[in-house]
Amino acid sequence: MKSKECVAMILAGGQGSRLGILTKNIAKPAVPFGGKYKIIDFPLSNCAHSGITAVGVLTQYQPLELNTYIGNGQPWDLDRNDGGVYVLPPYVSAEKGEWYKGTANAIYQNIGFISGFDPKYVVILSGDHIYKMDYSKMIKAHKEAKAAATIAVIEVPWDEASRFGIMNTDENMNIVEFEEKPKKPKSNLASMGVYVFSWDILKKYLIADENDPKSDNDFGKNIIPAMLSDKNKMLAYRFDGYWKDVGTIQSLWEANMNLLSENPGYELDDPGWKIFSRNPAKPPHYIAPSSRVKNCYITEGCEIFGDIENSVIFQGVTIEEGAVVRDSVIFPDSYIGKNAIVNKAMIGTNAYIAENSEIGSTSDDANKDFVNTKICSDDITLIGPNVSIAEGIKVAGCSMVTRNIKKPNAEKAAGKKSVKGTATA
Amino acid sequence: MVNNNTLGLIFSENSEASLGELMKFRSLAAVPVGGRYRIIDFMLSNMVNSGIVNVGITAGFKNRSLTDHVGSGRAWDMARKENGLFILPPPETIDLNGRIMGGIDYLSGAMSYLNRSRQEYVMLSDCNTICNIDLERVMDFHFEKDADITVVYTEEPDISPRELGKHILFDVGDDGSVSDIQIYPRRQKSDAAYMHMFFIKKSLLIELIEDCMAHDEHVISKNILLANLGKLRIFAYKFEGYKKKIDTIDAFFEFNLELLEEKVRRELFGEDKKSIYTKVKDSVPTKYGRDAEVKNSFIADGCEIYGEVENCIVFRGVKIGKGAKVKNSVIMQKSQIMDNCTVENVIFDKEVILCSGKSLVGESTYPLVIGKRKVV
């Protein structure tokens, strides 16, 4: 292999358990976002635009969809004769085989892969944030400062700082202390989960960390503190664009809704920095005479006959006449039946909402069996992928529906029928 | 199934089609249609979907936009080590002597491609009949009938006198054999209208082309089909789906607006149909503003719509400003209609800018065409 100055490693193995049913069968980076993307499109496109042409994607949890999606990397221009994108699951060797124990261990297990490119720098990225960032500028800052590690930071509101990993810096942006979710933050510079390391230095720390049986093998908990305590030069690199963690149902919903605001803080449609994705071969979408469409994002392959307001609609969705969709995110290939109401919800891929049903209902007689305030908050209702909701069913707000909801009397009727069937047979 | 033994040949030009302003800078095959496609996408996708892995496209002299569009053929899965997509430029040495290029002239430029390809059979087609056709059925029919040439037709009763002069009609027997061919007739004696697609063994095609070239003959319908009537076994396969031939601005306009009919969209893009591929642009989804009023329209990705849109075909990356009223129009890629404009029965080519408050109104029977990159 030819050497590369820089290799990027995307940590895409996380389950994202706070996304509930959405990540039951797919890894978090494969979760759909913004009408036609998956979360992983953002770091992959950023790499492609930053001129990083050797990219490893570390997968572990439910990797099938992610592996298929990435394929040979062609949608991101990462199908290269030299380098390109590689999906790197954990593997078994002659001595042992094990899962990725933590973020640092995932990179440790791929030292061989990285060393094959003989890089000077390694960029470590997490596969679960929405942002547009030129990593090459950060690498330049890292080089100029002759740093051992450079960590991208973003200013967060002070009252939210205790939810993040906070970097305390001196006046030259050198990191003096790292605090994970501090109760009393001394700074409001949060780590974005974007790191540049000088490879020879990182490699030493990864090996030392692996040999420490007490370590959690985690960048934030172990590697960064160890490097700090050894007085390595650690630079904080300030990023002032849009950056959003989409680790919860509420933040994922908000990040989608943010696209519809007057000023989303970043331009999704920036011709010089497009977010690439695997484009489906679908025709343009059709808006019928019966529909009303206000403040929406709609993509190809949809057929819209109903009313939509403040919503993001993915490819191949059908919304029938009389249906009302408000403040919602409808994932690919879902169906919303006639006169159905969808209110402040996220509807999973290929879900079926039958006619006259109501999702996110406030009515007293609504089905509350699936109310789940641990996953859902702010009255957002989540319908799982491939779930179907029968005609006329009302699903209460803040529900996470994980299986089909049938008509109550239909179940009984079906039961009777089968008994009869056995008798005559 | 992979029809490794058939190659496809698509004519990117057609001397009988004239789309005026829309073809000023591009070949017929590269004219944008249907919100995100070019004319060639349909026939090229049909071939790929029928398992054909080797396709040649004969190019005219204005081929920049065509070659840019198809590129390596990747969007159609045709960027291959073996076979794949080939652009066949017109023969350099041709002396037209003032006459227009005929199909056989284009084929003469494709001779070395034909000779070099390993496939034994050829599916030839014009590019400008829009349909979603399963060509495997044509091939099966051909072998079942033990035909030398299989032509594809559709049933078209009551062709208007104005249109009739542009049609080729067949007399088709019960067994599917062709007993007569009427080229540009004055009277309609048959309902079987040729779709400008035929299937033939490659060795026979080469022989026929060489014969025609030696006799200074240039027209496929006359010199290959009609001339061999009675000598070769010519059979006709009937296609029953939706099709639209785009050969005039009117037909272009009609086809686009027909996409607003659910039946037509089903026939071309329905779930039971194979996909029509086109060049990928990575556009964002289309954004609708708070004041947008959109009715009965077919809209591609990457648009921003703040005004009123009714009965329109809107291509990728179009912007329609606040207070603008756009009706019965076809608006191609990256055109911008600024605030408070009024537009009716207009075809905008790519990247047209209509400045604020302007009004452009054509007739539904005679749409106004605004050329590429014009600023009004």
Side-chain angles (χ1 to χ4, degrees):
Chain A
M1 250 183 289
K2 266 197 199 160
S3 73
K4 294 266 177 191
E5 190 187 25
C6 180
V7 173
M9 300 294 276
I10 302 178
L11 300 163
Q15 178 185 358
S17 53
R18 287 174 302 159
L19 290 176
I21 185 74
L22 286 185
T23 51
K24 189 178 172 225
N25 294 313
I26 60 174
K28 185 160 140 190
V31 167
F33 174 80
K36 69 184 294 187
Y37 307 100
K38 289 183 187 288
I39 297 171
I40 188 91
D41 287 331
F42 286 80
L44 283 176
S45 302
N46 287 339
C47 282
H49 291 303
S50 303
I52 300 174
T53 54
V55 180
V57 180
L58 299 146
T59 63
Q60 173 157 287
Y61 174 81
Q62 288 284 11
L64 178 63
E65 178 146 336
L66 201 54
N67 293 354
T68 328
Y69 185 70
I70 292 171
N72 67 350
Q74 180 264 319
W76 304 270
D77 242 349
L78 287 171
D79 54 332
R80 301 285 174 140
N81 285 339
D82 181 21
V85 64
Y86 299 80
V87 174
L88 303 167
Y91 57 90
V92 177
S93 67
E95 295 85 43
K96 60 175 181 178
E98 56 184 355
W99 297 106
Y100 292 149
K101 291 179 287 182
T103 51
N105 175 255
I107 304 295
Y108 170 84
Q109 289 200 37
N110 287 288
I111 285 178
F113 167 78
I114 299 170
S115 297
F117 292 104
D118 190 21
K120 283 206 176 75
Y121 311 102
V122 172
V123 181
I124 312 279
L125 305 165
S126 51
D128 45 11
H129 297 133
I130 302 299
Y131 64 113
K132 284 184 161 188
M133 181 176 185
D134 189 344
Y135 304 134
S136 69
K137 287 187 185 158
M138 184 173 167
I139 296 165
K140 195 165 164 248
H142 176 89
K143 274 196 246 181
E144 281 171 1
K146 297 198 171 64
T150 300
I151 299 172
V153 293
I154 188 161
E155 262 181 56
V156 294
W158 278 98
D159 55 334
E160 286 180 30
S162 54
R163 295 200 294 117
F164 294 93
I166 294 295
M167 299 291 164
N168 301 323
T169 60
D170 66 14
E171 64 279 13
N172 295 323
M173 291 302 278
N174 291 309
I175 300 167
V176 291
E177 191 187 8
F178 169 71
E179 290 182 290
E180 183 69 36
K181 297 184 181 146
K183 288 221 172 66
K184 283 187 185 154
K186 294 174 213 150
S187 146
N188 66 337
L189 294 175
S191 165
M192 293 166 59
V194 175
Y195 310 102
V196 176
F197 290 100
S198 295
W199 176 233
D200 50 348
I201 299 172
L202 176 64
K203 196 159 66 178
K204 278 195 297 204
Y205 278 91
L206 288 174
I207 293 166
D209 179 67
E210 185 62 18
N211 291 331
D212 174 4
K214 279 182 264 163
S215 173
D216 289 322
N217 308 115
D218 185 85
F219 273 96
K221 280 186 208 152
N222 308 107
I223 302 285
I224 305 292
M227 288 180 78
L228 273 173
S229 73
D230 290 352
K231 301 268 184 283
N232 282 289
K233 185 165 173 68
M234 312 271 282
L235 188 70
Y237 176 81
R238 195 188 281 266
F239 176 72
D240 49 14
Y242 178 87
W243 175 84
K244 179 96 179 167
D245 180 280
V246 286
T248 63
I249 289 298
Q250 187 170 342
S251 62
L252 181 61
W253 179 83
E254 282 169 1
N256 276 286
M257 288 300 126
N258 175 61
L259 290 171
L260 302 173
S261 68
E262 292 286 317
N263 180 16
Y266 66 112
E267 232 182 303
L268 204 49
D269 196 13
D270 174 359
W273 205 278
K274 278 185 183 178
I275 298 302
F276 299 136
S277 66
R278 207 170 268 283
N279 285 227
K282 301 236 172 158
H285 61 268
Y286 174 70
I287 308 280
S290 56
S291 66
R292 259 179 83 248
V293 172
K294 304 273 178 199
N295 200 36
C296 289
Y297 244 41
I298 303 180
T299 194
E300 287 165 338
C302 295
E303 297 259 320
I304 311 291
F305 299 89
D307 291 1
I308 314 176
E309 205 174 332
N310 299 327
S311 296
V312 174
I313 316 291
F314 283 71
Q315 68 262 14
V317 168
T318 302
I319 297 178
E320 297 285 10
E321 198 169 333
V324 178
V325 175
R326 255 183 258 116
D327 306 321
S328 294
V329 184
I330 317 283
F331 286 164
D333 302 317
S334 291
Y335 176 88
I336 314 289
K338 273 193 182 149
N339 303 317
I341 297 173
V342 177
N343 200 5
K344 205 171 182 184
M346 288 211 274
I347 308 291
T349 303
N350 200 34
Y352 185 93
I353 312 298
E355 56 190 70
N356 299 317
S357 51
E358 186 178 349
I359 309 300
S361 172
T362 50
S363 132
D364 289 340
D365 60 341
N367 179 327
K368 299 191 181 68
D369 296 354
F370 294 92
V371 170
N372 183 333
T373 47
K374 246 169 92 185
I375 300 290
C376 299
S377 54
D378 198 23
D379 277 333
I380 299 163
T381 304
L382 176 61
I383 306 292
N386 304 311
V387 164
S388 81
I389 306 293
E391 196 186 327
I393 298 282
K394 291 179 184 168
V395 177
C398 241
S399 297
M400 176 172 84
V401 183
T402 51
R403 58 178 169 80
N404 297 348
I405 305 184
K406 291 180 193 149
K407 269 175 100 170
N409 44 4
E411 252 169 287
K412 273 181 212 159
K416 264 182 205 164
K417 231 184 213 165
S418 67
V419 174
K420 213 174 168 187
T422 339
T424 44
Chain B
M1 219 190 67
V2 178
N3 280 300
N4 269 326
N5 210 18
T6 298
L7 68 88
L9 204 56
I10 304 175
F11 298 96
S12 74
E13 298 287 359
N14 184 338
S15 55
E16 285 150 21
S18 78
L19 299 186
E21 188 74 27
L22 301 181
M23 282 174 62
K24 200 168 167 188
F25 300 107
R26 51 173 89 90
S27 60
L28 177 64
V31 170
V33 286
R36 69 190 292 259
Y37 303 98
R38 304 274 183 153
I39 284 178
I40 186 100
D41 292 342
F42 290 85
M43 210 51 223
L44 185 52
S45 300
N46 286 333
M47 290 202 170
V48 171
N49 289 337
S50 306
I52 296 175
V53 293
N54 185 3
V55 175
I57 301 174
T58 69
F61 294 101
K62 277 185 286 192
N63 58 35
R64 187 210 59 86
S65 112
L66 174 68
T67 44
D68 177 28
H69 179 68
V70 298
S72 64
R74 176 182 267 162
W76 297 266
D77 231 353
M78 292 289 271
R80 298 281 132 217
K81 277 195 171 173
E82 289 184 2
N83 300 309
L85 193 70
F86 297 85
I87 299 281
L88 309 169
E92 279 167 26
T93 52
I94 197 155
D95 180 8
L96 292 171
N97 243 337
R99 65 181 175 81
I100 47 170
M101 290 266 283
I104 292 167
D105 298 314
Y106 285 111
L107 286 176
S108 70
M111 287 304 260
S112 56
Y113 164 70
L114 286 173
N115 279 314
R116 275 190 199 179
S117 299
R118 275 197 231 137
Q119 286 77 6
E120 270 185 276
Y121 292 90
V122 189
M123 176 67 76
L124 296 95
S125 176
D126 273 357
C127 64
N128 61 328
T129 297
I130 306 286
C131 60
N132 193 327
I133 182 173
D134 182 353
L135 296 169
E136 276 186 81
R137 294 219 198 153
V138 180
M139 301 176 209
D140 291 347
F141 176 90
H142 180 88
F143 294 116
E144 192 188 301
K145 297 291 178 190
D146 192 24
D148 293 317
I149 297 176
T150 297
V151 293
V152 181
Y153 76 96
T154 64
E155 200 98 333
E156 267 195 76
D158 310 318
I159 303 173
S160 74
R162 194 166 57 101
E163 288 293 309
L164 193 58
K166 295 194 287 182
H167 275 79
I168 295 170
L169 304 177
F170 302 130
D171 287 349
V172 184
D174 290 340
D175 63 343
S177 64
V178 175
S179 57
D180 191 24
I181 301 176
Q182 299 119 39
I183 300 175
Y184 311 143
R186 292 291 178 91
R187 246 169 350 106
Q188 184 167 8
K189 288 197 294 178
S190 159
D191 293 348
Y194 182 38
M195 279 175 71
H196 295 264
M197 255 174 240
F198 70 101
F199 186 68
I200 187 170
K201 196 168 197 168
K202 189 173 78 179
S203 54
L204 175 60
L205 177 69
I206 290 171
E207 197 181 303
L208 294 172
I209 297 168
E210 284 172 347
D211 257 8
C212 287
M213 283 160 69
H215 292 93
D216 197 24
E217 294 168 343
H218 314 280
V219 184
I220 293 175
S221 53
K222 200 166 83 185
N223 305 123
I224 288 188
L225 300 180
L226 184 59
N228 289 297
L229 199 63
K231 293 182 211 159
L232 295 172
R233 289 174 61 82
I234 302 181
F235 281 75
Y237 170 88
K238 182 167 149 190
F239 173 66
E240 312 217 16
Y242 170 85
K243 62 101 197 51
K244 182 83 183 182
K245 185 170 171 182
I246 298 184
D247 54 355
T248 60
I249 292 279
D250 287 355
F252 169 87
F253 194 55
E254 278 165 28
F255 165 68
N256 278 284
L257 294 182
E258 276 170 23
L259 288 169
L260 299 174
E261 295 166 29
E262 191 168 359
K263 187 179 158 287
V264 174
R265 289 199 306 278
R266 284 244 163 93
E267 288 267 358
L268 291 177
F269 310 114
E271 273 175 26
D272 56 333
K273 296 280 187 285
K274 290 189 175 162
S275 299
I276 303 298
Y277 299 95
T278 189
K279 185 177 174 183
V280 164
K281 293 246 182 346
D282 289 285
S283 321
V284 296
T286 282
K287 167 91 197 274
Y288 290 87
R290 283 175 206 283
D291 303 317
E293 289 280 348
V294 182
K295 304 275 176 207
N296 197 38
S297 293
F298 200 47
I299 300 180
D301 272 357
C303 299
E304 287 177 37
I305 296 178
Y306 301 99
E308 286 178 38
V309 180
E310 195 177 343
N311 302 335
C312 287
I313 306 297
V314 183
F315 285 65
R316 292 184 278 203
V318 166
K319 294 196 169 76
I320 295 177
K322 276 187 187 147
K325 290 183 169 56
V326 187
K327 270 176 93 171
N328 299 323
S329 296
V330 177
I331 304 146
M332 290 186 199
Q333 202 182 316
K334 287 188 183 160
S335 280
Q336 293 184 41
I337 295 174
M338 309 275 207
D339 294 357
N340 304 313
C341 289
T342 305
V343 174
E344 202 171 332
N345 299 313
V346 181
I347 297 168
F348 284 80
D349 202 319
K350 285 170 69 176
E351 295 165 45
V352 170
I353 296 176
L354 183 61
C355 299
S356 297
K358 298 280 185 254
S359 172
L360 280 180
V361 179
E363 285 294 321
S364 61
T365 48
Y366 196 88
L368 202 59
V369 183
I370 311 295
K372 190 173 172 181
R373 286 202 195 104
K374 292 275 182 339
V375 178
V376 183

